[in-house]
Amino acid sequence: MDERARIARLHRRFGFGLQAGELNAAIGRGLDAEIQRLMSTSAAPSPDPFEGKDIAFEVGENKNRQRAVIDVWLDRMVAGGSMGERIAWFWHGVLVSGIAKVKDGESMATQIKLLWTLGLGSLAELYKAITVDNAMLYYLDGRDSVKGKPNENYGRELMELFALGVGNFTEADVKAAATALTGWASKRYGEPAKLAIPKHDDSPQTLLGVPGVHDVDTVIAAVMQQPACALFIAGKLSRASLGPGLDVGVITKLADGFRASGFNTRALVLALIDLHRADVDGGPIVLGPTPWLVMAQRATGAQLKPDMRLNGLRAAGQVPFDPPNVAGWPGGQAWYSSGTMIGRLNLATVIASATPPTSPALAAAKAGDWPTLSRALGLPTDFSAQSITGLAVAKDAFVRLALALVTPEFVEA
C-alpha cells in the first residue's frame, strides 16, 4: 500500500474522510501527522453544539424537533471528522438507543455527549454511564425496573449485544443482572437518573459466576471479568476499522492487549492504527449511509437542507438516533440491497447539486479528469476501469459527481 492509500484509508476508516481537495496536503504532512490529527479530539466539543437548539419535545410534536437533534449531530460530524467523532458513531451502533421510543431530543443529545466524552476512554466507565443514562433507561425500560418486578431488557442486551455475545450467559444471569440494576430512573425527561433506594433490590446476586453482585459497579465488573468481553469489543471495533475479514488470530491478540491496557479504548484504537500502518487489511468496509453521507459532504463541500438530508438518509436506510432495533443497523453487503442503493443514488444527486462551484471535485468531474476527481474526493486509489466507463457515459458534471459518490471506490472504505 502506498502513502496515498494509507493516509486516505486512515481517514475513511478511523474518521469521516478528508475535506474537499485535502488529500495532497495530507500526504505532504505525512502519516504520523495525520494520525495525530485524527486522535486529537475525544471529549465533547466546546461550546456544546446542542446548546440553545430547540431539541426537547413532547409526544405528538416530535417530528420537527427530532429532525433538529439529528441535524445538529450530522453537522458536527461533517465539521469534525476526528476519531472522537467516528468512535461516537461506532458506539451509537453498539450501545443502541432509539429516539422513536425515547421521544426526547435532550436525552438523546446527552447520550451522544457521553459517547464523545467517554468513547476513547475506559470501557468500564462507559458501560457504567450508559447503564444509567436517561435515554437508555427509557429505551430498554430500565426506569420501570423496581424491587420485586425487575425488568430484564437491559441486563439481557448488556450481555448479548453490548459486551459478551450470544452463548456467553444464561437466563439466570439475566435475572441476576436485572435484580442488581433495579431502582434507577429520572423524574422527567432531560434530568439525570438517580437511584431510588426503596425501589432498589440490594440483595447479593451471583452473576456470571461472580458472587456478591448488587449494583451498577458490580454488574459491570462481573461482565468485564469474562474473557468474552475483550474479544467481543475488540472484534467489533477491529472489523469496523480494518475490515470484516480480519484474521481471528489478529483479533485475539488485539483483545489480549485491550485487556492488558485496563480496557482503554484509545489503546485499542492505537493498536488498530499500528496494524493499518503495517498494511494489515480485512477487506473492504461497506459504508453505511450516514458515514457515507458525512464523507460525501466533507469531500464535496456540499451544504444540505435538513429535510432533504433526513429524508435522503431515511430512504437509504440509516438515520442517526433511529436504529431499527436494539441490535442496531445491519452492515456489510446489506447496504448493497437495491432499495438502499436507490436511496443512496438519489441522495448523491442531492449532494452533487448542492456542491459549490468552487469545489475541486466538481471541477474535476466537469473536465472528465478521473484521477484528479478521485484525489479531490480523498480516495485511496484511482477509479477502476469499470467505474470510469460508467462515469464517462454522463455528460453533465453534476451527474458525473453523483455517480462518483456511488462507485465502489467511494462507497467502500
Side-chain angles (χ1 to χ4, degrees):
M1 192 184 303
D2 63 17
E3 190 75 350
R4 168 189 171 177
R6 288 192 190 97
I7 288 174
R9 191 166 286 172
L10 172 79
H11 282 280
R12 287 170 60 80
R13 291 186 167 189
F14 293 90
F16 282 117
L18 289 159
Q19 291 182 318
E22 194 184 12
L23 179 58
N24 288 340
I27 293 170
R29 288 188 291 264
L31 183 60
D32 288 341
E34 294 307 291
I35 291 170
Q36 186 174 0
R37 287 180 68 214
L38 268 179
M39 298 299 294
S40 63
T41 306
S42 61
S46 180
D48 178 357
F50 295 103
E51 186 70 31
K53 304 293 184 181
D54 192 11
I55 59 174
F57 55 81
E58 302 295 334
V59 177
E61 63 170 11
N62 61 337
K63 287 187 177 179
N64 288 340
R65 293 178 181 176
Q66 177 176 330
R67 181 194 67 195
V69 70
I70 292 169
D71 214 50
V72 171
W73 192 19
L74 285 170
D75 282 345
R76 177 65 199 175
M77 291 188 221
V78 172
S82 70
M83 186 63 203
E85 298 290 341
R86 188 64 180 264
I87 201 72
W89 174 252
F90 166 78
W91 285 123
H92 180 54
V94 177
L95 309 174
V96 174
S97 296
I99 201 167
K101 183 173 180 180
V102 176
K103 294 184 173 66
D104 178 55
E106 287 185 341
S107 293
M108 295 303 299
T110 296
Q111 186 178 94
I112 296 308
K113 287 185 279 187
L114 182 158
L115 300 182
W116 278 330
T117 303
L118 299 178
L120 282 173
S122 161
L123 181 64
E125 293 307 308
L126 177 60
Y127 278 149
K128 291 174 189 178
I130 205 73
T131 298
V132 298
D133 171 73
N134 205 27
M136 185 64 76
L137 287 167
Y138 273 91
Y139 186 64
L140 290 179
D141 306 305
R143 63 192 306 274
D144 301 319
S145 185
V146 297
K147 185 176 182 177
K149 293 182 64 177
N151 187 290
E152 297 178 0
N153 287 356
Y154 181 80
R156 184 182 305 279
E157 306 309 353
L158 171 65
M159 290 181 279
E160 181 175 333
L161 296 175
F162 298 174
L164 301 179
V166 176
N168 291 301
F169 62 94
T170 67
E171 286 302 307
D173 292 322
V174 173
K175 295 180 186 299
T179 300
L181 295 174
T182 49
W184 282 91
S186 62
K187 290 184 178 180
R188 59 183 62 88
Y189 283 129
E191 288 189 0
K194 296 181 179 179
L195 181 64
I197 300 298
K199 296 181 179 182
H200 173 63
D201 188 338
D202 205 47
S203 59
Q205 307 293 311
T206 298
L207 173 62
L208 299 163
V210 179
V213 172
H214 65 101
D215 61 5
V216 172
D217 287 1
T218 51
V219 165
I220 298 306
V223 168
M224 293 185 64
Q225 284 180 35
Q226 308 308 305
C229 183
L231 193 63
F232 183 84
I233 295 301
K236 277 191 172 292
L237 187 53
S238 61
R239 292 186 182 101
S241 303
L242 295 181
L246 197 64
D247 183 78
V248 174
V250 173
I251 295 173
T252 300
K253 289 180 180 178
L254 286 166
D256 291 343
F258 187 34
R259 190 182 300 107
S261 75
F263 291 89
N264 182 279
T265 304
R266 177 179 287 271
L268 176 57
V269 169
L270 290 173
L272 289 166
I273 289 176
D274 281 344
L275 290 175
H276 172 78
R277 187 199 299 273
D279 296 341
V280 174
D281 183 25
I285 299 166
V286 183
L287 296 169
T290 294
W292 167 84
L293 165 79
V294 173
M295 290 185 199
Q297 279 199 250
R298 285 174 60 79
T300 61
Q303 298 295 317
L304 305 185
K305 294 180 180 179
D307 280 340
M308 296 180 75
R309 182 161 64 177
L310 181 56
N311 291 338
L313 284 175
R314 185 167 287 118
Q318 190 176 50
V319 176
F321 294 117
D322 197 17
N325 51 56
V326 69
W329 292 276
Q333 294 301 310
W335 292 127
Y336 276 133
S337 69
S338 57
T340 188
M341 285 307 295
I342 290 171
R344 201 182 294 233
L345 177 57
N346 290 336
L347 188 49
T349 302
V350 172
I351 294 166
S353 299
T355 298
T358 55
S359 167
L362 186 59
K366 184 176 182 180
D369 185 344
W370 313 125
T372 299
L373 178 58
S374 70
R375 282 180 168 263
L377 293 175
L379 298 180
T381 64
D382 289 344
F383 292 107
S384 68
Q386 185 175 9
S387 292
I388 290 172
T389 298
L391 293 171
V393 170
K395 303 304 179 186
D396 180 84
F398 293 99
V399 176
R400 288 174 175 175
L401 181 55
L403 291 175
L405 296 176
V406 294
T407 58
E409 288 81 12
F410 197 90
V411 171
E412 296 176 359

